[in-house]
Amino acid sequence: MSGERDPQLIWTEADEPRSGRFGDVYFSTEDGLAESRSVFLAGCGLPEAWAGRRHFTVGELGFGTGLNIVALLDAWVQSRPRDALLNVFSVEGFPLSRNDAARALSRWPELRPIVDLLIQRWPAATPGFHRIDLPELQAVVDLAIGDAPWALDQWQGRADAWFLDGFAPSTNPDMWSDAVLDGVARCSAPNARLATFTVAGSVRRGLTERGFIVEKRPGHGRKRERLEARRPLSEHPPDRLPRVAVVGCGIAGASLTRALAANGVAPIVLEQDRPGAGASGFPAALVTPRMDLGDADIAALFAQALERAGTLYRSIPDAVVAEGVTQYPGMERDIARFARIAGQPQWAPGTMTAAADGSLAMANALTVQPMAILKGLLCGVEPQTIPVAGLTPNGPGWTIHDATGETLDVDSVVVAAGWGVSALLRDLSITPVRGQADWISGHPAPAEAWGGYIAPTPEGFLFGATHDRGEVTTEVRAADTVRNLASLAKRRPDLAETAGRSALHSRAAVRATTRDRLPLAGAIEGHPGLFVLGGLGSRGFCLAPLLAEHVAALILDRPSPLPSALARRVDPSRPTALAQH
């Protein structure tokens, strides 16, 4: 962990965690769990406040050991409404390690099942947003590592309840600043409740100035008082799940299906052929990030996307063929570039390593079996074989037209059809790029990339791929196999010789790219209920899971895992994403 984010943890003689940075305890030395339940859960009217709700969101400032969230999850499991989802957003500037958190939480054995789940999925201490899936509990935790004003500015959610649990205002005033309180107010849902242990005058005044009704309540243990606050606004809108259609069933459509299903929505999936019929249908794929030294947002986007994709793919049987990909320099300047990339803060220690031979070892990159992933992500949803010919608005919703004149009415539709997006959403600027790859059986090979690439399969390896911009034909071409063999021979002449003597299999498909080489993920401006996930290029298996969760959040008006700065970079209304008429 970098010194900048080191919590400077101290363990007392009683084996209790204390912050050396702020000179304060993480929880009550008498009974931290009882304090969490009294100050934060009861202070926010929980569990009564989520009764009858389909979805509930809790925000927290000061994740610390995770104790408040464990107490929250325990209450949620015992009293959640049927089929409801809990979203948690928490901010931590100085994260604890997995082992230190486990040690701190071990004093409450009655919470062990929940603690074990959280500790198993404890995220890396790298800056940015990290999503922790807890499907066993019907809950999702988004943990923001960074300063509170930044995290609140980047969060695209609204909390029904807030736990303000930073270290005391006297020792950590930045956590209670005007910028932080502005963010809390901005990110509060109608009738939000708020609880905190402090009764400092500056906190009371700050909340009152932002429209909260603040009341002192009896404190817990030795603390004489605590605060509760509420923000009386309009009634909370009804929790109605929309009827959603997803057009396309490659990695984008399958990821959307999983993201919607995780939020309680069973989408209608429309595919003109079969799952993986397009660019997602090769026998192997590399899951690697686009690396960027000049644009911190893009570097952060791909780091977060790789982390999210890896988490989901590792949970799918037979999905991951191999861990780790070695990237070789294409030119001399790449050697110095790789060394700088390895030192970027968004990579956890050991995940990016610049080697003496100039290569970059990407430990968290993967080789996967696409069809296993598509099957896992579809969550049992059977796609309907319908060639979608057009979309027209229909009151608050949309009508989908097929090639035979049949129609389907839905509330929202997401176009995730790869290159097919261009035919349905003509205002977007999308370019086709034809690619052919070849593969053989019976010969193992490592995962490598150098301009071309090698992707191991369970039986052998795949290599390629060609890159022909503007071409949309998908017939296999012998000349392209020759090109792929020549590229392979430059990097691995031994494998090229082996492939040349083996029975080769070939396949071509069309990728979809944009002018700025960034994906399209979000709402289509001026067309309520219409969304897109596309333009993923050759990084679809890296980008799709995270961006699908972002699009699903927009459809359902729920918290997105994507920081707002990154959401703007992939917004389909950005100028570089629009067609030039």
Side-chain angles (χ1 to χ4, degrees), residues 249-433:
C249 197
I251 186 57
S255 295
L256 282 161
T257 302
R258 191 215 67 85
L260 289 163
N263 280 276
V265 175
I268 303 163
V269 182
L270 309 176
E271 165 61 47
Q272 67 176 359
D273 192 341
R274 65 188 187 284
S280 300
F282 288 88
L286 296 184
V287 185
T288 58
R290 169 180 159 186
M291 293 164 288
D292 202 306
L293 287 170
D295 192 320
D297 283 347
I298 301 309
L301 170 65
F302 278 90
Q304 186 181 353
L306 179 63
E307 177 181 87
R308 191 68 184 124
T311 296
L312 292 177
Y313 296 163
R314 291 183 182 98
S315 71
I316 297 173
D318 302 320
V320 177
V321 177
E323 300 258 0
V325 177
T326 302
Q327 178 77 50
Y328 288 93
M331 53 189 69
E332 189 69 23
R333 68 183 183 187
D334 284 340
I335 297 174
R337 178 172 169 265
F338 288 173
R340 292 175 61 198
I341 287 168
Q344 288 180 307
Q346 67 266 20
W347 305 116
T351 58
M352 288 282 180
T353 306
D357 64 357
S359 65
L360 182 67
M362 300 181 288
N364 282 357
L366 303 172
T367 306
V368 296
Q369 293 194 86
M371 297 311 296
I373 288 175
L374 298 186
K375 180 181 177 181
L377 295 178
L378 283 172
C379 303
V381 175
E382 288 292 336
Q384 300 180 28
T385 307
I386 296 177
V388 176
L391 308 168
T392 57
N394 180 9
W398 286 84
T399 296
I400 300 172
H401 305 267
D402 73 8
T404 68
E406 294 293 320
T407 61
L408 173 67
D409 292 333
V410 295
D411 298 306
S412 299
V413 58
V414 193
V415 181
W419 166 235
V421 168
S422 63
L424 297 175
L425 302 175
R426 298 184 182 277
D427 287 339
L428 298 180
S429 177
I430 299 179
T431 299
V433 178

Side-chain angles (χ1 to χ4, degrees), residues 251-252 512-514 518-520 533-541 543-544 547:
I251 186 57
T513 64
T514 61
L518 291 176
L520 307 167
L533 177 56
L536 304 180
S538 61
R539 307 288 181 184
F541 280 89
L543 289 166
L547 296 185

Side-chain angles (χ1 to χ4, degrees), residues 30 59 68 120 145 166 202 306 366 427 486 529:
E30 297 172 352
N68 290 339
Q120 288 166 12
I145 303 297
S202 60
L306 179 63
L366 303 172
D427 287 339

Side-chain angles (χ1 to χ4, degrees), residues 515-554:
R515 287 205 301 274
D516 58 10
R517 297 192 302 123
L518 291 176
L520 307 167
I524 301 299
E525 191 173 30
H527 299 283
L530 182 60
F531 302 83
V532 63
L533 177 56
L536 304 180
S538 61
R539 307 288 181 184
F541 280 89
C542 179
L543 289 166
L546 174 65
L547 296 185
E549 290 180 323
H550 170 61
V551 174
L554 296 179

Side-chain angles (χ1 to χ4, degrees), residues 11 89 136 157 164 178 230-231 273 277 361 396 412-413 424 510 514:
W11 291 97
F89 174 71
E136 304 89 341
L164 302 191
D178 285 343
R230 55 188 175 87
R231 196 181 190 198
D273 192 341
S412 299
V413 58
L424 297 175
V510 180
T514 61

Side-chain angles (χ1 to χ4, degrees), residues 32 48 72 85 106 112 141 208 249 253 288 294 340 347 366 373 403 409 416 472 481 493 530 565:
E48 294 79 10
L72 170 70
L85 177 70
S106 65
R112 183 169 178 176
V141 178
T208 300
C249 197
T288 58
R340 292 175 61 198
W347 305 116
L366 303 172
I373 288 175
D409 292 333
V472 296
T481 296
L530 182 60

